[in-house]
Each structure stands twice: as structure tokens, then as C-alpha cells.
Amino acid sequence: MLVFSVLSLFAALVMPSLADFTHHAVLKDDVYFLSWKFDNETITFETQVRTTGYIGLGFSPNGGMTGADIVIGWVKDGTAYLKDRYATAKQMPSIDASQDVELISGSENSTFTTLRFKRRLDTCDSKDNKITQSTMRIIWAYHDSDPLTETDLLYHGNVNRGAKSMFLLESADNPVNTVTIPNDAYTLEFLNNKVQVPSTSDTTYWCSGFTLPSFSGVHHMIKAEPIVQVGNEAIVHHFIVYACNHQFNFTDHANYSESCGARRNMPPDLELCQQMLMAWAIGGEAQVYPENVGYPFGGEGDPTFILLETHYDNPALRNDYVDSSGVRFTFIPRRRQYDAGIMDVGVMVSRNHVIPPYYDEFYSWGQCSDCLESGLVNVPEGINAFGAVLHTHLAGTSIYLRHFRDGVELPYMAYDENYDFNYQEYRYFKEPKKIMPNDDLVTHCKYKSSDRTSVTWGGLGTKEEMCLAFIMYYPRVNLTNCISAPLQSELIKIVPGVTSASNDYGYSVIIQAPSQYAGRRFPDVMENLVNWQDVQTRDRFQDLELNSTRAQYCAGINGYGHGGLIQRLQITTPYVLPQVSCPATTTPAATTPGVTIGSISSADRTMSVTMATVLCSLFSLLLKM
């Protein structure tokens, strides 16, 4: 959440209304200021804009005018005016027949126009967009003149408008906003050293190595924040910081700086650096720990070396980018009550993750089951999740981090039904959420591929896809990855009459028959032998994806990892998001995943085949974003 400091200008203008609100954002520097507060049913906004004309604030499904729910108001001759409107195209928004916004107050001086108004989170009006915990795309505009009439709005132009994604219903006690940095805190920076970003590919993963200072006792890292070089904001897509927890000759790799996609050609010492310390993606801000939690450095088993992975996204293939971006860690010279950990849950980053074309909605999911049982063996009381980051790429439209216990689904740990690839921010939970050893976690993603004509594969590139959730928790255990993927031997059934062979329990296959297809591999079959334009074919493939046996892989530090085959998760009681009771004449939009991933009970969960030796080598390249 972007929180602005109250400018001296505000103090000079004496605008005490800011104290009434819990959240604040700047939509345009020194021009458009937004404040708000909310309860379980309503949300109240105040706009303060450097204009003496009209002000617009809207809630858009995609950041544009079409489909937006818009409030427009102004102050003229001491009287405030406000109308609830909606837009069906890039044109003046229409006045809504159902006026669901309440004007509370309005004022104007020679510099600012201020409007305060209130509405229900869900108005039950089909022309209004619901305000939820999902990403909200705020659109805004203003004009220097009042309208002559409420139906005669002058066009605001291209400069006096914009859009911004944000979490409107984020808790006011988010640690990013409330944490106090102690006086004895200090910082360390880990920055790339003038990396010449390659122009031969639109996607580059670059890894840089850093030695750590000698800590006197255990120090806790309490904050991690990105440092993006000015001018390079468009190409720095994400950072992941990994810790090396083993001993090796650090001086050999102190200046390591190489392209590292899928960790190809990485020195073996650095290949073992798999303990995630930080995950940041475009649109995000700092990672902050609760005041009783920190990440330990200086003790036995703690990080000995830092590996910074930077994802550069260079679609224009420019050759003039030189980058020194990186991260800053804030430390305190002591230990807090709990050590923190981070683990990712979701779909393996591989070509077993298939998003076919022509779908308005396609679902995939990654299950974490037996990994929790083995990873939490030393903490039978469970671990406490205090935040998460949800991550897909460009085709992703919704993502749910789902939580099951004994076949019953608990409330979502986190979800976003309006996912924005360019706004990937930490979601901090109001209260820690307990994860028990026998629980199941599922990262469940929805994609839109109706504008695509070829298969989108799971992979590292921006134009490929992912389905992951990064969970921050305490106390730390030796579990950093809990990921799964459907077997190719299951998905290949979409082609009738095809038989295949596999030497890794169906994870990958080669076609045996019919003879004209013999020797062809799974990607070739998906791309060339399936008629994805056929509706029934698409329906059958969705069913295969949701109900197939899956390969699961668990990983931790120092090379720890094991895998196996797991059956689909069986669910007795799925969770449904609470709904507002609307009049029978309205039809609220569904706010829960549109397809299920199982039924009956969780008693049939099995680990069919233990294949640690095979999977550890097979998936060693798949643990990276």
C-alpha cells in the first residue's frame, strides 16, 4: 500500500479530515490525493485534488473506462454535487439509475477541491463494481472547470487522468505501515554491478553472489526492500534472494555475476543456495516482519552467502540497459522471539503446466500435502503464516491460496479475483493463520487465453506462465518448496488412441503408437495434434487437468528434497466467500473458483510411489521462478 507523508502544503491548508482516515494514497504527485476508511459493509472516500473543476474517481475491471463504475463531483457557488455513473465505452459516463453513493461533504478553495462520499462495498447494482480484497484498479480524472450541467462534462484530456492498482481493503495495521525500526538497526545492500542486460532475449535471469559480514551472535533481518535503479523500472521485473546455508570457499564466488536461467552452468556450491529470503515483483514494496519475528543471520545453519536473482524483462530487445538494481536488508543486532521462513506452494515451473488457447476461463492448481507432513515433523503444533505473495504471469486473472483440513476447506489464506501482473504486493494477514502438518494447501489459478491461438507453457519467461504463492511464516522449518504438476501420461489422454512410454512414472512421455506419431514428445502433441478450437476437447482437457494424478516435490536447504505421486485432493466441504444478500432481481457475480478439484473426503490421500532419487534429479531445474 502506498502511504504518503502529509506534505507541508497540507499543513498550510489545514485539512484536518486526513486524521479521520486509515489509508492514504497519491494518485498524481502533488495533485490528486485519496484517503479512505472502511468497515464490514461500507467504504468512505475523500478526494483532495488541485483543481477548481470537477473530480472523477472510478473502479475499473481492467484499468480502462469500459465497464468502470465512476463517481464524478464538483463544488460550485459553495454547493457540492456528486453523481454515481458508469461507462460502457471510452466516452462520457452515463448517470446510473440507482444512485448508490452518498455525498457527505464538499468544499473548495482557490487551490483544492475536496469531496467526501460513502458507498456500500457491494451495492447489489449491476452497474457498480464490488469493492473486495482483490486488486482494485482505480481510475481517476479531473478538469480545471466545472461542468455547465451534469450531462455536459468537458473532456479531461490525456494528462489529467490515470489508473492505479491497489488493495483498498488492506488492514490498517499492515506491518509495512506500522512497524517501528529500532534505533540500533542497520542496513546492508546487495546490488548488481553494472549488468549489461542482454538484448538477445526478452527474458533474462541474472544471478549475483555476495559475501556476508561476520555477525557477532545472531542478528535478525526485519525488513527487505527493493532498490530499482532509476530509469530501469520497465525492465526489472522481480528479485528473489536466496541464502546459501552451507560452507564453501566464499571468495571463489564473491564476484559471481552471470546469466542463470534455470540455474544452467551455475557452480555446484551456488546451486545449493535454495533457502528463499525475499521475493519481490514489479508493483510491490518492502517485505516487513511482525515485531516478534525476524530472519536469523549469524547462528548455526543460518545464511553464509547471498545469491540475488534478478529477472529482466526486455521485450524491445534494447542493448543500452546497464543495471545496478538490488535489495536492502535492515538488521537488528539481536534475536526476536521467532525465526521466520518462506516457502512457495503451487505448480511446478515446467512444461507439465499447460494453458491451452481459446479459453475464457482455464484453471490449474498445485497441491501441497505430504510435504507438510514431513516438513513440519518437528513442529506438531504447526507453523503460523503471516503473509503471502500471489504470482502468475500475463494470462492469469485470478489466484486463490486455499487451505484444507480433514477435507474441509478453511477460509482462503489469500486470494485475488482481479489479478494484475504489474501489481504484485505482499498480503499481510490481520492475524497469523495456523498451518498444521496434516493440512493441505492448494494454489489455484484462473487464466484467460481466448485471445491466444497457441499453447502457453509453464516457464520462466513473462510470456510463459506460473501459478505460485510465496508464504511467509514462523517458526522456520526445513521446507522451502512444496510444488506439484499433472503427469504428462494423464494429460496425453486428450488425444484418442495414443499410447505412450515413460521412465519417470509418467512425469514425461514419448509417443509409441499409432506409428505415424511414434517418437513424438508431449509438447509436440499438445501444439500440433489437438484441436483446441473444439469446445468438447477443451472441456475434456480441463477435466484432465483438475483430476489427474500429480507429481509432488518437496525441497529444503542443503540439498534436502524428495518427491512422489499424489492423488487429487478429496474435499468434503469447499469454502465459499461470504455474499451480500441482494434483492431477487439482482444476480451477484460469483466470487469463488468456478471448478472444483475434488469431492467426498480426504481419507483417500495416498503417496502412490516413492521416487525421491528420480524426482530430485528431474526437478532440480524446476525450483526457480
Side-chain angles (χ1 to χ4, degrees):
M1 183 61 60
L2 293 180
V3 179
F4 65 83
S5 300
V6 180
L7 304 177
S8 58
L9 172 64
F10 277 11
L13 291 175
V14 189
M15 295 182 176
S17 59
L18 286 179
D20 298 343
F21 292 90
T22 55
H23 296 71
H24 311 279
V26 179
L27 302 185
K28 183 177 180 179
D29 287 346
D30 201 34
V31 174
Y32 201 125
F33 303 92
L34 178 67
S35 300
W36 70 99
K37 60 184 178 181
F38 59 89
D39 55 32
N40 292 333
E41 297 182 352
T42 63
I43 186 166
T44 302
F45 294 98
E46 184 164 286
T47 56
Q48 299 179 343
V49 184
R50 187 183 289 274
T51 184
T52 55
Y54 73 77
I55 297 169
L57 183 74
F59 313 101
S60 167
N62 52 23
M65 284 283 289
T66 303
D69 165 23
I70 303 170
V71 176
I72 295 179
W74 60 93
V75 177
K76 186 174 182 180
D77 299 329
T79 301
Y81 301 85
L82 193 77
K83 285 292 183 180
D84 180 7
R85 300 172 182 255
Y86 65 94
T88 58
K90 292 182 178 180
Q91 60 190 30
M92 186 174 69
S94 303
I95 296 175
D96 196 336
S98 176
Q99 288 292 302
D100 299 306
V101 178
E102 175 188 350
L103 174 64
I104 299 174
S105 64
S107 62
E108 183 177 271
N109 58 30
S110 60
T111 306
F112 276 90
T113 295
T114 300
L115 294 172
R116 183 182 291 205
F117 50 92
K118 180 179 182 179
R119 58 157 280 183
R120 298 185 66 84
L121 299 176
D122 184 351
T123 67
C124 293
D125 179 0
S126 62
K127 298 292 196 300
D128 294 339
N129 292 321
K130 289 192 291 185
I131 295 175
T132 71
Q133 294 182 31
S134 299
T135 299
M136 300 300 299
R137 290 169 171 84
I138 304 299
I139 60 174
W140 55 269
Y142 65 96
H143 195 281
D144 291 334
S145 300
D146 293 330
L148 297 176
T149 68
E150 63 182 23
T151 58
D152 187 18
L153 302 177
L154 297 172
Y155 177 54
H156 46 66
N158 291 324
V159 175
N160 298 344
R161 66 178 175 92
K164 183 177 182 60
S165 291
M166 61 177 69
F167 300 147
L168 286 178
L169 301 189
E170 181 181 60
S171 174
D173 56 4
N174 179 333
V176 173
N177 302 336
T178 61
V179 69
T180 299
I181 302 298
N183 293 333
D184 59 348
Y186 64 95
T187 62
L188 295 176
E189 293 183 354
F190 306 97
L191 305 177
N192 290 304
N193 184 19
K194 298 180 180 178
V195 173
Q196 179 72 52
V197 179
S199 59
T200 54
S201 173
D202 60 356
T203 297
T204 297
Y205 284 74
W206 196 273
C207 291
S208 298
F210 303 91
T211 57
L212 290 167
S214 178
F215 296 96
S216 56
V218 173
H219 291 206
H220 259 173
M221 185 259 284
I222 62 172
K223 182 179 181 181
E225 56 193 313
I227 302 175
V228 178
Q229 181 176 323
V230 176
N232 288 357
E233 294 86 354
I235 63 162
V236 179
H237 180 267
H238 80 238
F239 300 121
I240 297 183
V241 183
Y242 293 94
C244 311
N245 297 74
H246 55 295
Q247 297 295 325
F248 58 92
N249 189 344
F250 306 136
T251 58
D252 289 347
H253 305 300
N255 297 313
Y256 180 80
S257 181
E258 298 287 346
S259 177
C260 60
R263 297 201 171 190
R264 296 184 183 94
N265 304 318
M266 183 175 286
D269 285 330
L270 300 186
E271 174 66 26
L272 292 176
C273 303
Q274 295 183 354
Q275 177 69 55
M276 188 188 306
L277 294 180
M278 175 190 180
W280 170 89
I282 185 171
E285 293 186 8
Q287 170 184 312
V288 178
Y289 292 89
E291 294 194 354
N292 62 338
V293 180
Y295 200 95
F297 286 72
E300 183 178 356
D302 290 342
T304 57
F305 191 84
I306 292 295
L307 189 68
L308 169 66
E309 175 192 274
T310 307
H311 172 190
Y312 293 112
D313 185 26
N314 185 16
L317 302 181
R318 284 176 51 175
N319 62 6
D320 57 341
Y321 281 119
V322 177
D323 185 64
S324 294
S325 300
V327 298
R328 179 187 297 115
F329 286 179
T330 300
F331 294 85
I332 56 174
R334 58 187 174 280
R335 195 175 214 145
R336 289 176 168 176
Q337 182 179 3
Y338 295 107
D339 292 341
I342 303 177
M343 72 173 157
D344 63 300
V345 173
V347 181
M348 292 178 188
V349 182
S350 72
R351 289 208 161 193
N352 290 47
H353 189 193
V354 184
I355 295 92
Y358 306 115
Y359 283 83
D360 289 326
E361 295 182 0
F362 181 79
Y363 294 85
S364 65
W365 57 282
Q367 179 180 335
C368 173
S369 295
D370 304 81
C371 290
L372 290 176
E373 189 172 351
S374 58
L376 276 60
V377 66
N378 294 323
V379 284
E381 70 281 6
I383 57 176
N384 303 283
F386 61 88
V389 176
L390 306 177
H391 181 72
T392 74
H393 284 181
L394 296 173
T397 61
S398 300
I399 182 168
Y400 305 81
L401 178 53
R402 305 176 67 180
H403 187 193
F404 301 88
R405 183 168 297 157
D406 298 326
V408 176
E409 185 168 14
L410 305 177
Y412 302 140
M413 296 187 72
Y415 72 94
D416 195 333
E417 296 183 312
N418 197 25
Y419 178 80
D420 183 352
F421 177 68
N422 294 311
Y423 184 69
Q424 299 182 50
E425 180 62 286
Y426 287 95
R427 294 171 177 269
Y428 294 94
F429 308 148
K430 189 171 184 179
E431 299 291 340
K433 302 187 179 186
K434 181 71 72 174
I435 300 173
M436 300 298 291
N438 290 322
D439 288 354
D440 301 278
L441 300 176
V442 168
T443 304
H444 196 162
C445 297
K446 182 171 76 172
Y447 303 92
K448 183 177 186 296
S449 63
S450 53
D451 58 345
R452 303 187 180 196
T453 58
S454 59
V455 169
T456 300
W457 296 101
L460 302 173
T462 302
K463 296 178 182 178
E464 296 172 308
E465 267 307 333
M466 292 185 179
C467 179
L468 292 169
F470 298 94
I471 302 174
M472 299 188 293
Y473 70 91
Y474 66 89
R476 184 178 60 172
V477 297
N478 190 18
L479 183 61
T480 58
N481 304 84
C482 187
I483 50 181
S484 69
L487 301 178
Q488 292 184 8
S489 58
E490 297 275 325
L491 300 183
I492 202 73
K493 294 175 182 177
I494 193 63
V495 183
V498 166
T499 60
S500 61
S502 173
N503 61 4
D504 52 17
Y505 304 94
Y507 181 81
S508 60
V509 299
I510 299 177
I511 304 303
Q512 289 185 309
S515 58
Q516 66 266 34
Y517 301 145
R520 300 177 80 162
R521 295 186 176 273
F522 179 75
D524 184 19
V525 173
M526 293 294 103
E527 291 177 342
N528 299 306
L529 299 184
V530 182
N531 178 15
W532 295 115
Q533 292 183 328
D534 180 70
V535 174
Q536 292 183 336
T537 297
R538 296 202 302 272
D539 289 344
R540 287 199 305 271
F541 190 81
Q542 177 69 94
D543 185 66
L544 288 171
E545 157 64 32
L546 292 171
N547 295 292
S548 67
T549 300
R550 312 181 91 75
Q552 179 183 247
Y553 184 62
C554 323
I557 63 174
N558 298 332
Y560 163 77
H562 68 89
L565 300 185
I566 55 174
Q567 303 299 320
R568 72 175 188 178
L569 177 64
Q570 303 298 309
I571 306 166
T572 58
T573 309
Y575 174 71
V576 178
L577 283 169
Q579 298 284 319
V580 170
S581 179
C582 293
T585 55
T586 64
T587 305
T591 55
T592 192
V595 289
T596 59
I597 55 174
S599 59
I600 312 304
S601 75
S602 61
D604 296 329
R605 185 178 65 200
T606 60
M607 186 68 124
S608 302
V609 181
T610 300
M611 51 179 183
T613 302
V614 175
L615 287 176
C616 283
S617 59
L618 179 63
F619 302 146
S620 62
L621 297 180
L622 304 178
L623 299 177
K624 304 279 282 88
M625 283 187 62

